[in-house]
Amino acid sequence: MMSLPIPPEEVVALLRWYADMGVDTAISDEPVDRFAESAVPARPVAVAVRPAEAPRPAASPRLASPAAALLTATPDTVELAAREQARSARTLDELREILDRFEGCALKATASRLVFADGAPDADIMFIGEAPGRDEDIQGKPFVGRSGQLLDRMLAAIGLDRTRTYIANVVPWRPPGNRDPTPQETTICRPFIERQIELVDPKILVCLGARSAQALLGVTDGILKLRGRWLEHEIGGRRIQAMATLHPAYLLRQPVQKRLAWRDFRAIRAALEQP
């Protein structure tokens, strides 16, 4: 049998994605008149009668691979598997390897690569966005496009850079067309970012944008109401200072709001200097 050019589990994931998009019929190069087909009466089919055969012994059940099992599992089962796998990671490198093998999120099938993190794993401050975009999907690092360049300038304004910070996203795979991740995709990926925060163990957590704050801090307010307020994120028995601020992509569309982001970053700098 000819081997498939891509692994079977990726083929299944792609077919499921087609089904989710509403594709239920294969299309060929030649047009087909379905109305003409339905007008032609069906021909009777002769059925050959075969002699009775002795019953065959039942075949032993074939166990599905963990990846294939996740593709057909319920959302609750996938979330539980994500939590168990994330909890098993003892280091950031192990967590990255687990995410590379994880098949429970359909975004992995449409993204080019995993976008795990950038910066210093022992940093005192951790920035978390929502999901990678096109440039991040190409380079495999978070915040490297126009938004990332603005973030770098904002960090430089308070005396920081990527060698002194740690940057990641709630969802580590790019959604198709840069759409927002669905609530289910965010829920599945949340255990991994929570474990990532626990392993980095920062002094301060900064959520870039409302969706990141809503996913991690359990808030529902919009970003203009959330920003600039000190909150707490409890994880691993420890409380971490947390603040939501405006996403750099929003600031590119609304540059007048940079004054608000500047206030937030000054407060973050002051908090970092506290013992």
Side-chain angles (χ1 to χ4, degrees):
M1 180 183 294
M2 182 181 296
S3 62
L4 293 173
I6 57 177
E9 58 269 18
E10 294 188 14
V11 175
V12 174
L14 182 58
L15 291 175
R16 289 189 62 196
W17 181 78
Y18 281 145
D20 291 340
M21 295 300 103
V23 179
D24 57 4
T25 304
I27 300 176
S28 64
D29 294 333
E30 298 296 329
V32 178
D33 189 344
R34 300 297 183 187
F35 293 103
E37 286 184 350
S38 61
V40 177
R43 295 181 178 179
V45 179
V47 179
V49 178
R50 302 179 61 183
E53 297 180 356
R56 298 180 180 180
S60 59
R62 183 178 181 181
L63 295 178
S65 66
L70 283 179
L71 288 174
T72 57
T74 64
D76 290 343
T77 302
V78 176
E79 182 184 355
L80 179 60
R83 290 197 174 279
E84 291 177 350
Q85 294 186 34
R87 195 181 300 115
S88 69
R90 295 167 296 179
T91 65
L92 289 169
D93 288 338
E94 286 186 7
L95 184 63
R96 181 173 191 142
E97 292 175 0
I98 289 171
L99 268 171
D100 267 329
R101 299 191 303 268
F102 185 70
E103 300 292 343
C105 182
L107 292 178
K108 181 179 180 181
T110 57
S112 298
R113 68 194 78 237
L114 173 72
V115 181
F116 185 68
D118 192 21
D122 59 348
D124 286 336
I125 184 168
M126 183 173 179
F127 291 85
I128 302 179
E130 181 184 18
R134 177 181 178 275
D135 294 310
E136 291 75 18
D137 185 57
I138 293 173
Q139 298 188 37
K141 291 183 178 181
F143 287 92
V144 293
R146 292 183 62 216
S147 296
Q149 294 165 15
L150 177 56
L151 177 61
D152 288 342
R153 295 195 295 270
M154 295 164 69
L155 292 174
I158 59 171
L160 295 175
D161 57 34
R162 292 186 182 235
T163 65
R164 301 172 62 188
T165 61
Y166 190 82
I167 306 172
N169 283 300
V170 175
V171 175
W173 294 284
R174 178 200 180 196
N178 284 0
R179 65 164 172 77
D180 294 332
T182 66
Q184 181 178 334
E185 291 162 351
T186 300
T187 299
I188 290 172
C189 295
R190 187 185 296 123
F192 297 106
I193 188 62
E194 288 178 345
R195 183 58 177 156
Q196 204 167 354
I197 296 170
E198 194 173 6
L199 291 170
V200 175
D201 193 24
K203 176 181 177 182
I204 294 174
L205 184 68
V206 180
C207 294
L208 298 170
R211 293 182 180 273
S212 172
Q214 291 165 358
L216 295 174
L217 305 180
V219 292
T220 58
D221 293 333
I223 189 59
L224 292 178
K225 188 174 181 180
L226 277 174
R227 58 141 296 272
R229 291 163 44 193
W230 283 112
L231 304 170
E232 285 187 338
H233 182 63
E234 185 172 356
I235 189 167
R238 177 173 174 263
R239 293 179 180 272
I240 301 174
Q241 279 186 291
M243 179 187 288
T245 189
L246 303 172
H247 195 287
Y250 173 81
L251 296 176
L252 289 173
R253 299 190 301 269
Q254 302 287 340
V256 70
Q257 303 288 33
K258 288 181 180 180
R259 58 187 175 84
L260 299 179
W262 173 237
R263 294 177 191 171
D264 297 344
F265 271 65
R266 288 176 60 189
I268 291 167
R269 176 75 258 184
L272 278 173
E273 292 173 351
Q274 292 178 1

